[in-house]
Amino acid sequence: MPIIREGELDIISHSAEQTARLGARLGKLLRPGDVVCLAGDMGAGKTVFSAGVGRGWGATHALTSPTYTLVHEHRRDDGAKLYHLDCYRLQNADEADSIGIDDILDSGSVMLIEWAERIAEILPDEKLWIELRVIESTRRNLMLDGTGTRYETLVKEFRAQTFGVK
């Protein structure tokens, strides 16, 4: 668990179940307005991680891939919302207007974006960026990079909760 710089964390997951558990731990820490960006190749574990985030956040329905509808809105029992976006089918950031990206960003809800690299130039400067990479058939590398005070703190809280290290 090397710490590259404040706000960064490098993790190896050894199974899909562990990737989902890591997502659940992060989901418990998310607050309204948080923007979490997932990037990486096809099959790297973005949707598995997202499903864990939804479970940890407390979504009333399981998060599944929004590839065909592009945006899924999830709720918690307290009425809070989480928007799960999949930008795989977008050719460029301009096409994000078609899914109401500005309204979602302005809503103050949690945003979880798969294939975020496709719309990176229109995302807020402050965000949590998670790069997922395939190492082997069951092993994944997750590199968390929090930009801005809120997200540096989020990575620190996640590290403490996951590894017991402050």
Side-chain angles (χ1 to χ4, degrees):
M1 175 198 52
I3 300 169
I4 290 77
R5 68 164 179 78
E6 198 67 31
E8 283 188 2
L9 181 62
D10 189 355
I11 303 171
I12 302 294
S13 171
H14 297 276
S15 67
E17 294 79 15
Q18 185 179 18
T19 300
R21 283 194 307 271
L22 290 166
R25 287 198 174 118
L26 179 65
K28 288 178 183 177
L29 300 172
L30 294 179
R31 299 193 310 222
D34 282 345
V35 177
V36 179
C37 304
L38 305 177
D41 294 333
M42 184 76 69
K46 294 179 292 295
T47 301
V48 169
F49 187 84
S50 294
V53 168
R55 190 173 67 249
W57 179 77
T60 56
H61 294 91
L63 270 69
T64 57
S65 177
T67 299
Y68 295 102
T69 56
L70 303 181
V71 179
H72 285 172
E73 178 184 301
H74 295 273
R75 293 180 185 268
R76 253 185 346 211
D77 288 336
D78 65 2
K81 292 180 186 176
L82 178 151
Y83 288 94
H84 182 202
L85 289 72
D86 187 321
C87 297
Y88 178 73
R89 297 201 179 283
L90 300 181
Q91 299 303 310
N92 55 55
D94 293 337
E95 290 185 6
D97 288 339
S98 69
I99 60 174
I101 191 88
D102 291 333
D103 292 336
I104 296 170
L105 282 166
D106 292 342
S107 73
S109 301
V110 172
M111 278 184 71
L112 181 60
I113 308 165
E114 294 188 39
W115 297 96
E117 62 271 28
R118 297 192 180 223
I119 63 166
E121 66 246 31
I122 63 167
L123 294 173
D125 291 337
E126 295 192 5
K127 60 191 165 290
L128 176 60
W129 190 274
I130 304 174
E131 187 81 30
L132 293 97
R133 292 192 179 94
V134 175
I135 299 173
E136 294 173 351
S137 63
T138 59
R139 291 179 49 194
R140 301 294 185 264
N141 174 234
L142 290 80
M143 176 62 87
L144 286 72
D145 185 4
T147 305
T149 304
R150 161 64 188 141
Y151 299 100
E152 289 175 7
T153 301
L154 180 59
V155 171
K156 191 180 292 185
E157 291 171 350
F158 177 78
R159 180 175 48 250
Q161 185 182 80
T162 305
F163 300 105
V165 178
K166 294 196 184 216

